[in-house]
Amino acid sequence: MLIGVPKETAAGEKRVATVPEVVEKLIKLGFRVQVQSGAGDAANFGDETYRAAGAAIVDSAASLWASSDIVFKVRGPTAEEVGLLREGGTLIGFIWPAQNPELMTQLAAKKATVLAIDSLPRQLSRAQKMDALTSMAGISGYRAVIEAANAFGRFFNGQVTAAGKIPPAKVFIAGAGVAGLAAIGTAANLGAIVRANDTRAEVADQVVSLGGEFVKVDYEEEGSGGGGYAKVMSEGFQQAQREMYAKQARESDIIITTALIPGKPAPKLITAEMVRSMKPGSVIVDMAAEQGGNCELTEPNQAVVKHGVTIIGYTDLVSRLAKQSSTLYATNLFRVAEELCKTKDGVINVNMDDDAIRGLTVIKEGSVTWPPPPPKIPAAAPQAKPAAALAAASKGHGHGSSEPMSAKSLAIVFGVGALAFLLVGMYAPASFLSHFTVFVLACFVGYMVIWNVTPSLHTPLMSVTNAISSIIAIGALIQVAPPLTGATTDRPTLWILGMAVLALALTAINMFGGFAVTRRMLAMFRKH
């Protein structure tokens, strides 16, 4: 089958639906690929790079649409492009069926099969490789911080210079979804003090792990919605949230808003009064501008200054990193093609029994199949037995229980141990007895020391290996410490000395190398 990639016609859209690197992979799946001339120019992918990857270059959009079995698109097609689509053809791209009923009717009339990448059931773990919404959201969150930095009049990080002290910028991010988390990580890496809020309490740990501070609304209500989005909150929660946002607006230099609710206008989080309370020179980046904006004063596709605050309402943040976003989007579409063509013969099979494909498919051969039924989520694994039951089951084995031993069991263990010591003391040689006593005491002391080390400083595995290394080191020192007996050419003595020195060297490498590796691992999670 022939895949066609037309040039995007939406104003300001610089992305392209596939890139040369992915063209090669599509050809290996058995497809043929054609690209409209100039489709990748805005993303720095020239026609010659597509030709080198094996794609054909077509000059006319009409010719490409008419001859392609499958069309890869970024934005939904215009009415004119729908007219060019071949009867019974397949279209894959962003469609937004809930917001574009007229487009759905036009596509159904062409008896097309349409896969809307925005309708992917994101709760399926196997669908993550096809999740273009997540890919694009991560890019837009990063770009929002770059736009804010461009409009902001100071450094993000604090500095102490000969000319004076520069305080760090304070950034507040409303919404900690994929875009919000990307913005948090970017702003924190630039050195800003980052605070964030989200109606979903479970994202608090993610905010902290990226270097931000989670600001909680003083109102208890769960805010998780379906598909990774938030839900509409109660009026009581919204009032408490507004109070918290008003406080953050007075304190923050930069506010980035990302709040969206599927199928509804963007919630108004930042009021005109909050904007007036912000310091002159502050910046607001409204990432929800395309759906009406989270700020009352946002103007879509514009950067305006109101009450001394720059309000950025760009709706093409992803397109402003066209090369990166095109590459990720092309990879997402390639993963969809893999699922559609598992036989690798260049022929797709839209399997409606596959939950991921069923969710993507909004029109099948002219029949509207959207909205899809809820995906069949695999049943949760059986819960483990209660701890008490496990403890009871393991009592007879003498191990595996997390419960402390009973008095009777403890008495039996000490009794057996005392009997073993008695037998050793009665029949073992005196020299063995002294060594055995030291060995037992070493085991006891080592156990008490090693197993009480803070886990963040020492993993249990390293604790054991270092304990073994310590025993080897002590044995080697005993061999090295006594003066050599006999002549200096005594081969056994020199051999033992050499082995002891080698053992010491290798043990030191193991011990100090282990601590160095642990230090580097901990440094990965520490904010500098």
Side-chain angles (χ1 to χ4, degrees):
M1 298 181 79
L2 178 60
I3 295 175
V5 181
K7 185 175 182 178
E8 296 296 321
T9 57
E13 182 56 73
K14 299 178 181 178
R15 289 174 291 176
V16 62
T18 199
V19 299
E21 174 187 343
V22 173
V23 167
E24 297 175 356
K25 298 177 182 178
L26 290 170
I27 292 173
K28 289 179 181 178
L29 282 179
F31 296 104
R32 292 178 296 125
V33 183
Q34 62 180 2
V35 180
Q36 184 181 346
S37 179
D41 286 350
N44 297 315
F45 297 109
D47 290 349
E48 65 281 358
T49 62
Y50 285 105
R51 284 196 187 96
I57 301 299
V58 179
D59 292 328
S60 167
S63 174
L64 182 138
W65 279 90
S67 60
S68 299
D69 300 301
I70 306 166
V71 175
F72 281 2
K73 277 274 291 165
V74 178
R75 293 195 179 246
T78 62
E80 181 183 353
E81 289 173 327
V82 173
L84 296 175
L85 178 66
R86 68 185 295 180
E87 192 89 4
T90 300
L91 173 66
I92 305 176
F94 283 104
I95 303 297
W96 302 107
Q99 290 89 342
N100 297 296
E102 185 177 346
L103 174 61
M104 293 284 287
T105 302
Q106 294 170 354
L107 290 168
K110 297 286 287 189
K111 299 189 182 305
T113 295
V114 181
L115 280 74
I117 199 72
D118 47 88
S119 296
L120 181 76
R122 302 168 77 186
Q123 59 268 49
L124 297 177
S125 58
R126 57 179 287 265
Q128 292 177 2
K129 61 184 179 181
M130 301 178 273
D131 190 359
L133 285 173
T134 294
S135 300
M136 299 302 101
I139 293 173
S140 62
Y142 170 87
R143 183 68 191 197
V145 176
I146 301 303
E147 294 293 342
N150 182 55
F152 189 50
R154 294 206 326 260
F155 293 142
F156 265 47
N157 63 322
Q159 296 185 20
V160 178
T161 70
K165 182 179 179 181
I166 303 171
K170 294 181 180 179
V171 179
F172 177 70
I173 296 171
V178 176
L181 291 173
I184 291 167
T186 306
N189 288 337
L190 288 174
I193 297 172
V194 184
R195 299 189 182 107
N197 169 260
D198 197 283
T199 57
R200 297 160 292 186
E202 65 268 19
V203 304
D205 290 339
Q206 300 173 37
V207 171
V208 173
S209 70
L210 289 170
E213 174 191 347
F214 187 78
V215 183
K216 193 173 183 299
V217 177
D218 190 17
Y219 194 98
E220 294 298 329
E221 184 176 348
E222 176 53 45
S224 296
Y229 292 95
K231 68 176 185 181
V232 179
M233 306 301 286
S234 68
E235 181 55 38
F237 181 92
Q238 292 181 36
Q239 177 60 34
Q241 186 182 54
R242 282 191 291 270
E243 294 173 1
M244 183 271 288
Y245 281 163
K247 180 175 183 293
Q248 292 301 322
R250 291 191 297 271
E251 297 177 357
S252 300
D253 299 303
I254 295 168
I255 295 179
I256 298 174
T257 65
T258 70
L260 285 173
I261 298 172
K264 295 181 180 293
K268 298 299 181 187
L269 305 178
I270 308 299
T271 65
E273 183 59 36
M274 293 179 194
V275 174
R276 278 192 288 269
S277 71
M278 296 181 72
K279 291 169 282 191
S282 298
V283 178
I284 296 175
V285 181
D286 193 341
M287 294 179 62
E290 194 167 7
Q291 281 74 42
N294 296 137
C295 176
E296 288 182 349
L297 303 181
T298 296
E299 295 184 15
N301 295 312
Q302 300 293 325
V304 296
V305 178
K306 296 185 179 181
H307 307 296
V309 177
T310 302
I311 304 173
I312 298 172
Y314 298 148
T315 59
D316 61 345
L317 290 172
V318 178
S319 195
R320 288 168 181 255
L321 286 170
K323 187 165 188 174
Q324 183 67 75
S325 55
S326 296
T327 302
L328 293 183
Y329 182 67
T331 302
N332 294 138
L333 292 193
F334 168 69
R335 297 304 180 189
V336 173
E338 273 188 326
E339 292 297 315
L340 294 171
C341 183
K342 294 184 177 179
T343 54
K344 297 185 179 181
D345 58 358
V347 178
I348 64 171
N349 174 30
V350 182
N351 181 11
M352 300 297 272
D353 293 327
D354 184 315
D355 279 345
I357 300 302
R358 175 65 186 88
L360 283 169
T361 307
V362 295
I363 300 176
K364 175 72 179 294
E365 297 173 357
S367 299
V368 176
T369 58
W370 185 89
K376 298 185 287 290
I377 305 298
Q383 289 188 351
K385 295 180 181 179
L390 288 175
S394 60
K395 276 183 180 178
H397 302 287
H399 64 276
S401 171
S402 60
E403 297 289 328
M405 288 190 295
S406 64
K408 182 178 179 181
S409 300
L410 193 62
I412 293 174
V413 170
F414 273 100
V416 171
L419 180 61
F421 274 103
L422 178 63
L423 293 174
V424 169
M426 291 176 60
Y427 298 103
S431 58
F432 174 81
L433 188 60
S434 63
H435 288 300
F436 182 71
T437 303
V438 173
F439 173 75
V440 171
L441 290 174
C443 288
F444 176 75
V445 173
Y447 175 85
M448 296 302 295
V449 170
I450 293 171
W451 261 259
N452 283 289
V453 172
T454 304
S456 63
L457 301 177
H458 223 314
T459 64
L461 178 61
M462 284 187 58
S463 299
V464 174
T465 57
N466 277 353
I468 296 172
S469 298
S470 300
I471 295 172
I472 296 172
I474 292 172
L477 286 171
I478 290 175
Q479 297 300 325
V480 172
L484 293 175
T485 58
T488 56
T489 58
D490 187 0
R491 289 184 181 275
T493 303
L494 292 175
W495 174 255
I496 293 172
L497 178 62
M499 290 294 291
V501 172
L502 179 62
L504 275 174
L506 294 177
T507 302
I509 293 172
N510 179 62
M511 294 175 68
F512 291 102
F515 282 111
V517 170
T518 301
R519 185 183 183 87
R520 291 185 64 182
M521 289 174 63
L522 292 174
M524 293 171 61
F525 302 95
R526 186 181 298 118
K527 182 179 178 182
H528 296 284

